[in-house]
Amino acid sequence: MKPVTVVIVGAGPSGVSVLERLGANAAELLGDRPLDVHLIDPCRPGPGRVWRHDQSPLLMLNTMAAHVTMFTGAGVACAGPIRSGPSLHDWARRRGEGVDDPGVARELENLSETSYPTRRLQSHYLSWVFDRAVAGLPPGARFRHHRDRAVDVRDHGGRQRVVLAGGGAVEADAVVLAVGHQEVELSPGQEAMAAHAERHGLCYLPPGYTADQDLSVLRPGARVLVRGLGLAFTDLMVLVTEGRGGRYSEDGPDTLRYLPSGEEPVLYVGSRRGVPFPPKPSYGLSSPPPLPAHFDPERVLRESPGRLDFFRDVWPHAAKEVGWGYYHELFTAHPDRVRCGLDTFAEQYAAAAWDSRELSDLLRRTVVDPADVLNLAALDRPLGEAAFPDRAALRRGVGRCMRTALERRTDPRHSAHLGAVHGLLSVFGRLPALVDSGRFSLRSRAADVDGWWAGFFNHLASGPPPDRVRELTALAEAGVVRFVGPDMWVHAAAGRFEAGSPAVPGDPVTAGALVEARLPVGALPASRDPLLRLLYARGGLAESGGTEDGFSHRTGLAAVDGRDGAVLDATGRRHPRRFALGPFTTALAGGNFTRPGIDPVSSRLTDAVARSALAAAASSG
């Protein structure tokens, strides 16, 4: 019987998740037909490039060990079968023995459910997940890993021909592109900064994965401007401080002091908000809120005929969902801080529109302390519109924000804020249904969904471990990190880089180095991946976006069908045998790792991609 052949390009977590789902769904969709799977990537399957073992042992996940799984477990609402597997913590406890790295072995001995694992430990877990995925392929299946790069995919006699950089090709019935974050060409603004650096002997590091960058160019004691205060900045901060011999001293139960090695540069950092991401919470909810409760994409579409505007049509429902997560926890975990029971509040909350007088009156009657009323605007812009007379005042203001954020995320008295994060995650999981509807105006999709919403979500839900915020506070006290302010601007001027903020007028900072502390945005047509570039040039991949009412927007993301990742070509046609998923596509799915027991978009999408690829492959006859 002729086998069905599927090629997966990319051996990182997304590719391995597709591999596992192929094995899980093969019996239903292929029957007795044998399955051949080819995995193409020069990197080790499982970790891929980003999660490889060969990186600093100081770099960590921003998720607790018990909250990381690669498996489609109970709670995932997908068409394919559930195949539960251990979380990272459970794997470490039961199967972590045999790890040949002494540092990781020591980490395993002390790992708890609430530990933040190193990326080296995660690399071992992902390698084990890959081995299990291969073992989970159906009887008679054949698997091959090609340590090579795919450089072309062509239609070939009703099938797909995947051309390899090292010569040769693989014939397939379906192809899944899971190539992950892309290295991209510099934007015009970045090219200008790079050219300025070259002319004047300065240093410019464009957006990129921090562990891959040569940070030795940031000399000890040198001033370095840094744009970005998210996770890429956290990695940079760690590698040029503790990674260069600095260390921390506990001067008390809540006091951390940084002891410099003398090898550190001085980092002048800023961003749109001017403050770092809040840390991940170190506690759980007393009673997880029943979600979704107030964010229903079908209702939004019914009530908003025509083009959707995010803030007019979607945000009131989304904010109410976030608010329900917050107030559900406040009323259940802290009944002494409210004046009525949850059931009474829930009924009146459901009847009141977001930002209405009715809701304000309800909160004034039922919440004892006005400080316990959820303020989403303050969470979005912690510094507000404050102006500071000098950088010392700004440092104190940012310090207060960091202390507040740390207290909220480490003290269960503030657990309502974790409830808000759960509401935020609920919105994130259902927003793709609205995006895939095609009803957003192009302007609102660009500025509000891809812009403000993505930034707001990442800021509140994707922070570092709490210890990183403590360390940043110590670095600021030591003068190794200095804050530029919100709405940071950077100019190339007078043979240097210059930066400032409207919040500290008339006091710019000059430096000889500039680091863009963030991952590259988009992929097409600027991707440096030869496969994506070629497919785009031929019209086999299309960049999403367009022009509407005189407004033009290009996202840099490859257009795919959000339901199952089917690739859309330049004419909008769905390719019957090509699928793609990951951060270079329009399929909004979040990260590769999910929390056990929930229903994440990423797990649903991976299952749908695998099922559609198998169905397409099986149709080849």
Side-chain angles (χ1 to χ4, degrees):
M1 189 178 295
K2 181 182 176 183
V4 166
T5 303
V6 178
V7 166
I8 303 171
V9 181
S14 291
V16 171
S17 292
V18 172
L19 174 66
E20 188 277 329
R21 289 286 85 196
L22 290 176
N25 285 285
E28 175 190 346
L29 297 173
L30 300 184
D32 294 331
R33 292 185 65 181
L35 173 65
D36 287 356
V37 181
H38 295 258
L39 187 63
I40 302 173
D41 196 315
C43 297
R44 183 177 181 179
R49 178 177 66 89
V50 170
W51 299 98
R52 66 189 184 274
H53 180 269
D54 183 21
Q55 56 184 303
S56 171
L58 296 171
L59 298 179
M60 304 162 62
L61 277 71
N62 67 328
T63 307
M64 294 179 187
H67 293 174
V68 176
T69 185
M70 283 283 291
F71 293 95
T72 306
V76 179
C78 63
I82 298 300
R83 280 190 176 179
S84 297
S87 69
L88 173 57
H89 173 259
D90 289 340
W91 166 83
R93 188 175 57 187
R94 301 172 189 171
R95 299 177 176 86
E97 65 274 3
V99 170
D100 56 4
D101 181 311
V104 172
R106 286 192 298 272
E107 183 182 357
L108 284 168
E109 292 176 0
N110 300 305
L111 194 75
S112 71
E113 291 186 344
T114 58
S115 297
Y116 287 86
T118 65
R119 293 179 196 168
R120 285 187 169 185
L121 175 55
Q122 174 75 339
S123 179
H124 286 280
Y125 174 61
L126 293 174
S127 294
W128 179 84
V129 170
F130 162 71
D131 290 339
R132 176 158 164 168
V134 173
L137 292 173
R142 295 185 299 180
F143 172 81
R144 181 178 176 186
H145 172 217
H146 302 261
R147 291 187 175 275
D148 207 338
R149 294 187 182 278
V151 294
D152 195 7
V153 178
R154 290 183 174 271
D155 294 320
H156 184 73
R159 303 182 80 204
Q160 299 294 289
R161 181 178 176 83
V162 183
V163 181
L164 305 181
V170 180
E171 304 289 334
D173 299 300
V175 175
V176 178
L177 304 179
V179 293
H181 283 286
Q182 293 294 292
E183 295 181 5
V184 302
E185 301 294 341
L186 301 185
S187 69
Q190 293 162 4
E191 284 185 344
M193 290 296 184
H196 178 74
E198 186 172 358
R199 283 194 305 270
H200 297 284
L202 310 178
C203 171
Y204 177 69
L205 293 182
Y209 182 55
T210 308
D212 288 342
Q213 294 180 313
D214 179 11
L215 302 182
S216 66
V217 297
L218 307 179
R219 309 306 302 166
R223 287 185 171 196
V224 178
L225 300 179
V226 182
R227 275 199 286 206
L229 274 162
L231 298 181
F233 163 72
T234 300
D235 286 353
L236 173 70
M237 173 191 88
V238 169
L239 292 175
V240 300
T241 55
E242 204 174 358
R244 293 189 177 183
R247 55 191 180 88
Y248 294 93
S249 171
E250 292 278 0
D251 285 2
D254 298 311
T255 305
L256 196 67
R257 184 162 56 99
Y258 181 68
L259 306 175
S261 67
E263 296 297 311
E264 305 88 346
V266 180
L267 305 180
Y268 286 82
V269 299
S271 65
R272 187 178 79 84
R273 294 177 179 84
V275 297
F277 282 18
K280 283 290 180 68
S282 60
Y283 52 78
L285 292 176
S286 67
S287 176
L291 297 169
H294 299 282
F295 185 69
D296 179 358
E298 292 185 1
R299 178 185 174 188
V300 172
L301 293 173
R302 283 196 311 270
E303 295 181 353
S304 307
R307 288 295 194 189
L308 292 176
D309 177 89
F310 179 81
F311 285 109
R312 181 192 66 205
D313 303 317
V314 180
W315 178 242
H317 300 273
K320 198 166 180 180
E321 184 89 335
V322 176
W324 174 243
Y326 179 93
Y327 291 115
H328 183 277
E329 176 68 10
L330 182 67
F331 276 72
T332 55
H334 311 287
D336 57 315
R337 287 150 60 180
V338 295
R339 298 189 178 98
C340 69
L342 177 63
D343 291 343
T344 300
F345 175 81
E347 182 179 353
Q348 296 178 65
Y349 183 84
W354 185 256
D355 264 350
S356 65
R357 177 175 294 180
E358 289 79 11
L359 183 58
S360 296
D361 290 343
L362 172 63
L363 296 174
R364 187 168 55 253
R365 293 194 308 269
T366 58
V367 178
V368 174
D369 186 347
D372 278 334
V373 173
L374 177 63
N375 187 336
L376 290 177
L379 292 180
D380 180 36
R381 299 280 294 199
L383 290 173
E385 302 301 321
F388 300 90
D390 51 39
R391 303 213 167 275
L394 172 66
R395 179 177 63 80
R396 291 192 293 271
V398 175
R400 286 192 295 271
C401 289
M402 288 195 293
R403 287 191 296 274
T404 297
L406 188 61
E407 182 181 3
R408 285 175 175 170
R409 298 301 180 96
T410 57
D411 188 337
R413 291 187 304 111
H414 301 281
S415 64
H417 284 275
L418 177 55
V421 173
H422 278 252
L424 196 72
L425 292 170
S426 175
V427 174
F428 181 85
R430 286 154 185 83
L431 187 61
L434 291 178
V435 174
D436 294 340
S437 74
R439 291 270 304 280
F440 273 110
S441 71
L442 190 60
R443 188 183 298 273
S444 187
R445 168 70 193 270
D448 304 332
V449 180
D450 297 339
W452 180 85
W453 163 256
F456 180 69
F457 176 83
N458 288 332
H459 179 69
L460 292 182
S462 300
D467 282 349
R468 292 305 193 208
V469 177
R470 295 187 181 95
E471 291 165 2
L472 176 55
T473 301
L475 290 169
E477 292 291 335
V480 176
V481 171
R482 306 180 186 188
F483 299 104
V484 174
D487 297 314
M488 178 185 183
W489 54 262
V490 177
H491 296 155
R496 305 287 282 173
F497 292 114
E498 186 175 86
S501 163
V504 192
D507 189 15
V509 179
T510 60
L514 170 61
V515 177
E516 309 280 13
R518 60 184 186 275
L519 290 173
V521 177
L524 300 176
S527 173
R528 291 179 177 172
D529 185 314
L531 173 60
L532 296 192
R533 290 180 74 99
L534 188 57
L535 289 175
Y536 176 77
R538 282 207 306 262
L541 275 181
E543 180 188 10
S544 66
T547 301
E548 179 182 274
D549 299 329
F551 178 79
S552 180
H553 175 60
R554 315 302 304 188
T555 67
L557 301 177
V560 301
D561 186 328
R563 296 169 299 179
D564 65 354
V567 168
L568 305 180
D569 66 17
T571 68
R573 182 179 70 93
R574 175 187 165 102
H575 196 288
R577 299 185 181 278
R578 295 181 192 167
F579 304 86
L581 76 167
F584 72 101
T585 74
T586 56
L588 303 177
N592 295 308
F593 317 126
T594 62
R595 185 171 178 170
I598 66 171
D599 181 24
V601 182
S602 56
S603 295
R604 301 198 303 265
L605 177 63
T606 303
D607 184 72
V609 168
R611 289 179 66 85
S612 288
L614 286 171
S619 69
S620 61

